[in-house]
Amino acid sequence: MTVMIGIDPHKASHTAVVVDNTECVLDELRVRACSKQIAQLRAWAAPFPDRVWAIESARGLGYLLAQQLVAAGEIVVDVPAVMSTRTRLLGSGKAQKNDPNDARSVAIAALRHDALGPVVLDDHARVLKLLVKRHRDLGRLKNKAACRLHALLMELEPGGMAKEMSVTRANEILDRIEPTTQMTEHRLAVARETLADIDHYETQMKASMKRLRTAVAASGTSLAEIRGVGVEVAAMIIGHTGDVSRFASAGHFASYNATAPIEASSGERKRHRLNQRGNRQLNWAIHVVAITQLRQPCAGREYYDRKRAEGKNTKEAIRALKRQLSNVIYRTLLADASRLEQ
């Protein structure tokens, strides 16, 4: 008899509950998050040789635990947190919020849904996701330091730096300022330290982009053939999409990346509204591609112009273009996956 082991992961501990096909609880265990957690869980689950592990948020808080179980040869599925929460709230008699009930809800949700994605060992997509996140974090740190330097320059020289921020221009301004007061002297010192931070971030970003470019080339993707898709956007699309085969159709992919509108009909009135859910990183990447295509003659620009001629406003036409680009990206990812398997 196949049993389902649901796990509610936490930072310090994990709670596991075994249920059978009738949703009856057979056993439960709480282990401390430590180097021995996998050995303890597998020893406890040994009486159930025909087992499947269901982990809530296997791509989030339960990531390490899920990866360790898969590496040990276990079958693991990923249960979205919203799915287990609905199961718990709609269940009879087990609606209390505690770790055993949460783990039981995870197991029951996995029993009732056959289309849950299996957890696999990290692949190249996870590498790209990690690298592109690091690159974007460096960009944010650089922009934050640049804003601080702009504010300091405004206090040191009228008008500050009128042009785009650069290390050379900032040094020129700081070099010609005479520290006539103690406050000016300290502002200059802080400004030079902030400028050194910007220079450091720029060096790191160059190395990060070089690493990203190598990783994207190693993936063998053809996303770069789509107008508007650069190295960073390609890495973000591949990293956040993962295994494209987990999406049954282009519509499922569009729903995941939030380019598909949400139906909000009532009675005979049929209407749709903007989808503000979904993967916002993927949505941002597709938005960048759409805006880039609007700036030059191409099929995307022609599609946008047709939508504007049909009476759609600017935002509606861009949303329609993003939906079409989602289909193009989905087909490209499928073709890449098929080609790499051969």
Side-chain angles (χ1 to χ4, degrees):
M1 177 184 67
T2 302
V3 299
M4 187 68 67
I5 305 178
I7 296 184
D8 180 35
H10 289 278
K11 180 181 178 180
S13 65
H14 311 300
T15 301
V17 171
V18 186
V19 299
D20 59 17
N21 291 331
T22 63
E23 302 179 5
C24 178
V25 176
L26 303 178
D27 199 1
E28 67 178 60
L29 174 72
R30 182 186 181 92
V31 298
R32 188 169 63 89
C34 62
S35 59
K36 300 179 181 179
Q37 60 186 14
I38 298 302
Q40 293 172 350
L41 285 170
R42 296 191 73 200
W44 164 74
F48 311 101
D50 195 5
R51 60 182 180 258
V52 176
W53 301 79
I55 299 182
E56 184 180 60
S57 299
R59 293 175 177 268
L61 192 59
Y63 167 76
L64 179 59
L65 181 63
Q67 287 293 312
Q68 289 177 331
L69 284 171
V70 172
E74 300 287 345
I75 301 174
V76 184
V77 295
D78 180 17
V79 179
V82 65
M83 186 180 294
S84 59
T85 300
R86 288 172 179 170
T87 301
R88 176 175 56 83
L89 294 176
L90 296 175
S92 58
K94 296 290 184 180
Q96 295 86 358
K97 180 74 173 72
N98 55 54
D99 291 345
N101 280 349
D102 288 347
R104 175 180 177 271
S105 299
V106 172
I108 293 175
L111 278 175
R112 293 178 179 176
H113 297 84
D114 298 329
L116 292 176
V119 178
V120 297
L121 289 175
D122 280 344
D123 55 8
H124 199 69
R126 295 287 301 186
V127 174
L128 286 172
K129 183 177 180 180
L130 174 68
L131 295 182
V132 76
K133 184 180 185 302
R134 170 61 176 167
H135 187 76
R136 296 200 73 196
D137 287 344
L138 287 172
R140 292 189 180 100
L141 289 171
K142 177 191 170 184
N143 290 339
K144 188 174 182 180
C147 290
R148 289 176 175 173
L149 183 58
H150 270 299
L152 286 168
L153 291 176
M154 287 286 293
E155 296 172 349
L156 290 168
E157 182 167 289
M161 183 181 294
K163 298 181 180 180
E164 182 180 354
M165 172 68 68
S166 73
V167 175
T168 303
R169 293 195 190 104
N171 273 321
E172 291 174 355
I173 294 176
L174 295 177
D175 289 341
R176 63 172 177 257
I177 296 176
E178 294 293 335
T180 55
T181 64
Q182 188 178 25
M183 178 59 74
T184 304
E185 182 179 349
H186 285 293
R187 281 199 179 106
L188 278 172
V190 174
R192 292 194 183 278
E193 290 176 2
T194 306
L195 188 58
D197 291 339
I198 295 174
D199 189 33
H200 176 64
Y201 291 140
E202 286 183 348
T203 302
Q204 285 189 309
M205 287 187 69
K206 290 178 182 177
S208 174
M209 179 55 70
K210 182 178 179 181
R211 186 171 51 186
L212 257 183
R213 190 174 288 109
T214 302
V216 170
S219 70
T221 183
S222 58
L223 282 172
E225 297 176 5
I226 301 174
R227 190 183 294 267
V229 177
V231 173
E232 184 177 352
V233 170
M236 185 165 292
I237 290 173
I238 297 172
H240 285 272
T241 300
D243 183 10
V244 69
S245 64
R246 65 193 179 106
F247 301 105
S249 66
H252 285 84
F253 181 65
S255 180
Y256 177 73
N257 61 44
T259 56
I262 297 176
E263 186 173 3
S265 303
S266 179
E268 296 181 356
R269 185 184 181 188
K270 303 295 181 182
R271 67 185 184 91
H272 294 77
R273 62 178 177 84
L274 178 65
N275 185 357
Q276 295 181 332
R277 298 194 292 266
N279 189 307
R280 305 313 304 176
Q281 303 298 319
L282 263 179
N283 190 275
W284 174 86
I286 297 174
H287 184 80
V288 170
V289 179
I291 298 302
T292 303
Q293 290 197 1
L294 292 182
R295 295 174 178 172
Q296 48 196 305
C298 61
R301 178 70 202 197
E302 292 174 1
Y303 180 85
Y304 169 84
D305 291 337
R306 286 200 304 271
K307 291 300 174 182
R308 292 285 286 134
E310 292 173 4
K312 293 184 179 295
N313 59 37
T314 300
K315 288 186 177 180
E316 290 172 341
I318 292 177
R319 290 170 194 160
L321 175 59
K322 288 171 65 176
R323 178 65 179 84
Q324 294 302 309
L325 288 172
S326 174
N327 292 344
V328 173
I329 291 170
Y330 176 74
R331 291 194 296 267
T332 304
L333 291 173
L334 279 181
D336 288 343
S338 177
R339 175 169 47 82
L340 293 174
E341 287 177 359
Q342 294 176 356

